[in-house]
Each structure stands twice: as structure tokens, then as C-alpha cells.
Amino acid sequence: MGEERIDLGEGSPWPAALELEDLLEQLRGRARTAQRSQERLGALLDAVVAVSADLDLSVVLARIVRSACQLVDARYGALGVLGPDGEHLSEFITYGLTEKERATIGDPPRGRGVLGLLIRDPRARRVRDISAHPESSGFPPGHPPMHSFLGTPIRIRDRLYGNLYLSEKQGAPEFTADDESMLIALAANAGVAIDNAQLYERARRQRRWSDASGEITRMLLEGRGESSALALMVRRVRELTGAELAAVGIHDDEGLVVRAIDAVDGAAEVGTLLRGDQWGELMSGREPLLLVPGSGEDLPQPAMVASARALATIATAGPTALVPIAVGEAELGVLVVAWDPSAESAATASLADLADFAALAGLGLEAAGAQRERARTVLLEDRDRIARDMHDHVIQRLFATGLSLQSAARLATNQVVQDRIDVAVDELDAAIKDIRNSIFALHRPDFGAGVRGELDEIVAAAAESLGFVPDFVVEGLLVALPDYAEVDLVAVVREGLSNIVRHANATSAGVHVTVGRDLVVEVTDDGVGAEPEAIRSGLANLERRALASGGTFEVRRREPSGTLLRWSVPL
């Protein structure tokens, strides 16, 4: 008879005489294998949860590297993010290296050697000894020794985002096929997590850009002054892009003039004239341009870079974005943004946002310009109406009154009465001449550019420092003021607003000028208030001006908060 065989369910017959202990050992081995598989699957699930638990991109990338190392027992790990060219690494996130080791190694790798192999041929790879691989280019001085290697690409949909690099399998000379499978599975989930984090970051970035556009548009439409709005524009641009420099040039009668600059370290003065035909070519193209040193673009790049670099003292030329600001056929200006040489990826990612921001800023500038033109038109129409009313009603009535008095003078028998009537007629003639001079002044294009224009500039300058526009009201005609009163008026308004800027911590302020029998100036705020004794030391000069002209000056608290400065002199 032949030997009896027992089928254990795996298709492998065993001799009946096989010792039970061997059979149990086989079963124990399979149980341990199943348990290890279950543990590794649990570890993979934990890693998946870990990399998906946050939406901040930098946190997600760091968690991916850490989870990968823990999953396959690697001592060192890194995640290399591909740059815009798809051939070099723009970011390199590491795990397992100390700060001292990173500082000793120096600049992060750009994607040569075994690291570059995954860039050129993106598929998972296992290497027993990095130094023995034909693609190895060696390690820089101070780099810790590394032998075993495991790498796999990370894809977002069909696009290669970067690569996971792991080294130094702990407890074994090399990584296993199971390690490779686990890493591939983690990399697939990492692509989804990175995609979600990028979408979240994009939405958050767009909201910040939208808020900045709205803030600048509000400033322009509230009449706070174009200079203040442009200064805020370049400050917000530099903050949102992380750039070294942001500047804006606006077209005027002289050409393209830099109106605002915000830079980390040194900048040209505001008012720099951007010369050269290249700026006209840029504006006519209406497309944003990113100049990357050494990219060899077929554009007027050298002249462009030279002009852009003239705006700042940055040691090494980095990526520079030139973004036209235009609305319809109107070419308003150009936005210039310059980054550190290492920020090429940030510059590329910011270009579309800068183009949208420049378009919205252009609309704000155009709307503010139209608003100013409408206000000017309304002002001119108002002047015409006042001039007509003064000519058709006031002058005619005064003239008729003068004729009546002249007729009455011929009937007067008393010489004293006749003399007084003649004096009254002369006064009426003088008043008619003054009114006619005022009417002519109302029709001058530069009417109000004198003392009124100076006061407007003082209020606008204060608005830049305060962050809001003070109310400014004038009752009466400033053109009739004597020269000494104009000088005093400017001094009072300037000093009053200057004190609010320096001391008041106010959220609103106002300047009220009344021209009548007296010249009265009231400067108010809703700030913390001030002790009259403390203010008098700083405003003593205004008090002397008032007393010299027979007027009065006072500073007092307002209720519920704030200060009132009142200056008055007779005219």
C-alpha cells in the first residue's frame, strides 16, 4: 500500500508521518505573516489619515514625509517638489536630518544623480546601495552616509507633482517589495491630499487678493487720494506675494512715472521715470510678463530687467513680474514685482493673481478718475450758477439801488445828507466791482488752486497718516481773504491736523472754515482728548497769531470724547 496523504486545503499533500510540531510551526508562521500584513495595512491607513488631516500645504507635505518614513522604517526621508520647468526641484522637504546637518549640507539638491532618475523616468525604484548605482553623483561634504534607497513619484491627476525619497532602511540592508507597494499606495493618497490642500490654499489666496482689491477701490472712491491708494496697493502686493519689491508706475504728462514703492531693502525714490520703448511694447501686449534671469526669452528682456532693477537695490536679480494696468483702450500704468532669486516657483504661482489684481485696480483707478471729473463738472456748473445769480440778481439790484440814491441826492437840500448819499453810492460801486471780480475768478480754470488748493493738500496728507479722510467744509469765499489771513488760515489747519495725527488716536476728524465778518477755523476730533495745558505749549504760535489780529483762540475737550480747536480773527 502506498503512503496515506492528507490535503490541508492549500493543494499541497503532506505525508501522514509529518510531525505535528512542524505543521504547527507552519501555521504559526502564516499567522505571523497575516498579523504583520494586518499591522502594515493598519499603519498605511494611519498614514493616510495623517496626511489628510490638514489643509495647510506646508503641513501636509511635512506629514507625508514623516508618515512615509514611519510606514517603511526609513531613517531619512524627503519630498522633492518639481519646479515650473518640470526638470528641477524647487522645494525639498526633509525628515530625519537635524538643523545642524541641514546647515552643514548647504543648498538643497536640484535633482541630479539618483534623485534626478525619478524625474526623468517617474516610476518607483529600489536601490540596495546608492553609491554603487551608475546614476549616483555622490554626496556633498557633511552629508550623513546613506545606502539603501526607495523612491516613488507623486502625481496629482495626470500631472507629476514631485517625488518621495526614502533612505536607510532600519533593521535591514535594503527596502523590500512590500515597502515599495506600501509607499506607492501612500503616494497615491498623498497626491489627493496635496490637491485638496492646493485648492484650499488657492481659495484662501483668492479671498485675500479680493479683500485687497476691495480695500484699494474703497480708498479711491472715498476720495482719500490716489497716492495713498497706490501706496497701499504696492504694500498689499508685496505682502501677498512674498516679494522683495513691489512698485507701480502710472502714465502722466511726463511718461511712465513710479508713484509708489514698497521694498524690503532699499528702493529708488518715488518719481523715477521709466524710460524706454520696451514699456510701450509691454502695455500694447496687455499680457503679464515674468522675467526669469537666464531663461533666454525672445523679448526685450535685458532692457526690461535693467529698468525693473533700477527700482531697487537687490544684490542678485531674481524673477521679475511686469503686469500692465489697463482698462479698455486706456493704458494706465504697470505693476512691477521682484522676488528673491530662489523664489521662482512663488513668482510663477503669483502671476495669474497679479494679472487679476491689476485689472481690478485699473477699474478702481478709472472709476476714481471718472468720479473726480464728475465732481469737477458739478463744481464748474455750480460756479456758473452762482455767477449767473450774482450777475442777474445781486449786481442788478445794487446797480438799481445806486441809481435811485443818485436821483435822491439831487433832491437833497442838506449838504450833509447829499454827501452821505454820495458815499453810499461809491460803496455800492465798489461792491459791484468786487462782485464782478469774484464772478471772473469763478470762471478761471485755476480758481481755488491758491489757498483752497493748499488746504486740500494738507487734508490729503493728514488722511494718509490717519487712515481716514477728515471732513473739510468751507463756508464763504476764500478768494476775498487778505494775504495775512490766508497765511494764518493755512498755519492753523496744518497745526490742528498735525496734532490730531500725533496725539489724538482718533477715528474721525473735521475742519470747518467760515469766512464772514470773522474768519473762524474749527478743528475737531473724536480721539482721547487732551489737557488744555499740554496742548497750549504746542499751539502757542496759533494763539499769538490770533491775538495779533485782535482775535481769539481756545482748545477744549468735547463730549463724550475728543478735542475742539477754535481760532477766530475779525476781517
Side-chain angles (χ1 to χ4, degrees):
M1 293 179 65
E3 286 186 324
E4 181 183 356
R5 294 181 177 272
I6 302 174
D7 191 348
L8 297 179
E10 294 293 332
S12 300
W14 292 81
L18 189 63
E19 294 184 4
L20 181 59
E21 191 63 33
D22 292 339
L23 178 58
L24 292 175
E25 185 59 33
Q26 291 287 338
L27 293 174
R28 291 192 194 97
R30 294 186 182 187
R32 286 193 296 269
T33 301
Q35 184 178 2
R36 282 197 300 270
S37 298
Q38 187 175 5
E39 289 174 352
R40 301 202 72 178
L41 179 60
L44 177 60
L45 293 175
D46 290 342
V48 167
V49 171
V51 301
S52 305
D54 204 290
L55 287 174
D56 186 278
L57 184 58
S58 60
V59 175
V60 169
L61 296 180
R63 285 185 176 180
I64 289 171
V65 183
R66 183 176 67 249
S67 299
C69 289
Q70 294 171 351
L71 184 63
V72 299
D73 297 324
R75 182 176 180 182
Y76 303 108
L79 193 157
V81 180
L82 289 177
D85 59 4
E87 297 179 0
H88 299 90
L89 299 177
S90 62
E91 292 184 61
F92 201 71
I93 299 95
T94 63
Y95 176 80
L97 294 174
T98 65
E99 292 291 340
K100 183 178 180 181
E101 287 173 329
R102 278 197 292 265
T104 302
I105 294 171
D107 295 334
R110 296 283 292 168
R112 294 185 293 271
V114 176
L115 302 187
L117 184 62
L118 267 73
I119 298 175
R120 297 187 299 273
D121 184 13
R123 57 189 177 89
R125 294 179 182 273
R126 281 185 295 133
V127 177
R128 182 180 180 88
D129 189 354
I130 298 175
S131 60
H133 195 278
E135 295 284 343
S136 176
S137 59
F139 296 108
H143 197 286
M146 295 184 181
H147 300 91
S148 57
F149 173 83
L150 174 61
T152 188
I154 297 177
R155 288 184 171 85
I156 298 178
R157 299 184 182 93
D158 295 329
R159 177 175 63 88
L160 183 63
Y161 176 80
N163 295 299
L164 261 176
Y165 307 110
L166 306 179
S167 180
E168 289 299 283
K169 171 74 173 180
Q170 299 188 84
E174 62 179 323
F175 293 96
T176 65
D178 285 344
D179 293 333
E180 182 178 330
S181 300
M182 300 282 280
L183 190 63
I184 292 174
L186 179 63
N189 179 262
V192 176
I194 293 171
D195 192 23
N196 291 336
Q198 287 181 326
L199 291 173
Y200 174 73
E201 180 63 28
R202 189 176 303 122
R204 200 167 55 169
R205 185 173 64 247
Q206 289 173 348
R207 185 176 67 252
R208 290 196 296 266
W209 282 107
S210 177
D211 291 344
S213 298
E215 186 179 8
I216 291 161
T217 302
R218 281 194 302 274
M219 284 191 68
L220 289 167
L221 297 183
E222 287 174 0
R224 299 191 189 182
E226 188 176 282
S227 298
S228 300
L230 295 177
L232 177 64
M233 178 193 297
V234 295
R235 186 163 67 250
R236 291 289 182 265
V237 165
R238 199 178 66 78
E239 290 171 355
L240 292 172
T241 60
E244 296 284 303
L245 163 85
V248 61
I250 299 295
H251 283 291
D252 62 13
D253 295 337
E254 298 181 9
L256 190 59
V257 179
V258 176
R259 293 282 302 280
I261 293 179
D262 190 81
V264 173
D265 184 18
E269 293 292 332
V270 172
T272 301
L273 184 63
L274 301 179
R275 305 177 185 275
D277 297 336
Q278 66 271 13
W279 297 105
E281 296 176 26
L282 172 70
M283 293 302 302
S284 62
R286 301 296 180 91
E287 291 293 331
L289 180 65
L290 181 63
L291 305 178
V292 180
S295 62
E297 298 171 2
D298 186 18
L299 291 164
Q301 185 176 349
M304 280 287 194
V305 172
S307 299
R309 284 298 136 194
L311 301 177
T313 55
I314 301 174
T316 307
T320 304
L322 307 174
V323 187
I325 302 175
V327 178
E329 297 298 322
E331 297 177 352
L332 304 180
V334 62
L335 181 63
V336 181
V337 187
W339 287 265
D340 183 86
S342 63
E344 182 180 340
S345 60
T348 304
S350 300
L351 195 60
D353 292 324
L354 284 170
D356 293 340
F357 179 77
L360 292 174
L363 288 173
L365 288 168
E366 191 74 359
Q371 188 180 61
R372 287 194 299 272
E373 287 301 317
R374 285 195 300 272
R376 180 178 174 81
T377 301
V378 170
L379 177 62
L380 293 176
E381 290 175 350
D382 211 28
R383 290 181 186 175
D384 287 340
R385 180 186 58 77
I386 294 171
R388 286 195 304 270
D389 290 344
M390 292 173 69
H391 182 272
D392 296 342
H393 301 292
V394 179
I395 290 181
Q396 296 302 328
R397 292 178 66 181
L398 290 175
F399 187 71
T401 302
L403 290 177
S404 177
L405 287 174
Q406 284 180 328
S407 299
R410 289 193 292 270
L411 300 175
T413 58
N414 189 310
Q415 186 63 39
V416 175
V417 173
Q418 189 175 22
D419 291 343
R420 290 186 177 182
I421 291 175
D422 289 340
V423 171
V425 170
D426 291 340
E427 289 293 332
L428 288 174
D429 286 341
I432 290 172
K433 289 179 182 178
D434 288 342
I435 293 173
R436 282 177 172 165
N437 289 334
S438 298
I439 291 173
F440 292 142
L442 284 170
H443 286 95
R444 289 203 313 266
D446 61 343
F447 174 74
V451 64
R452 178 57 190 256
E454 193 169 355
L455 293 176
D456 286 336
E457 291 180 1
I458 293 171
V459 173
E464 292 190 18
S465 301
L466 291 169
F468 60 85
V469 181
D471 295 329
F472 182 37
V473 179
V474 176
E475 293 184 16
L477 293 175
L478 294 176
V479 291
L481 288 177
D483 293 342
Y484 76 88
E486 289 186 357
V487 174
D488 288 347
L489 173 59
V490 170
V492 172
V493 173
R494 177 182 286 115
E495 185 64 27
L497 288 176
S498 177
N499 271 278
I500 294 175
V501 171
R502 293 196 303 266
H503 307 300
N505 193 24
T507 59
S508 67
V511 177
H512 194 132
V513 179
T514 304
V515 183
R517 295 179 62 85
D518 295 336
L519 172 62
V520 181
V521 183
E522 291 186 345
V523 183
T524 59
D525 66 76
D526 66 348
V528 296
E531 296 296 333
E533 295 77 11
I535 285 194
R536 282 196 181 278
S537 61
L539 302 179
N541 185 44
L542 299 187
E543 186 174 26
R544 286 194 294 270
R545 287 177 182 270
L547 295 177
S549 299
T552 60
F553 173 74
E554 65 173 328
V555 178
R556 65 172 183 264
R557 287 181 175 275
R558 295 176 67 210
E559 295 298 336
S561 65
T563 305
L564 166 66
L565 180 155
R566 191 178 191 278
W567 185 93
S568 174
V569 294
L571 293 177

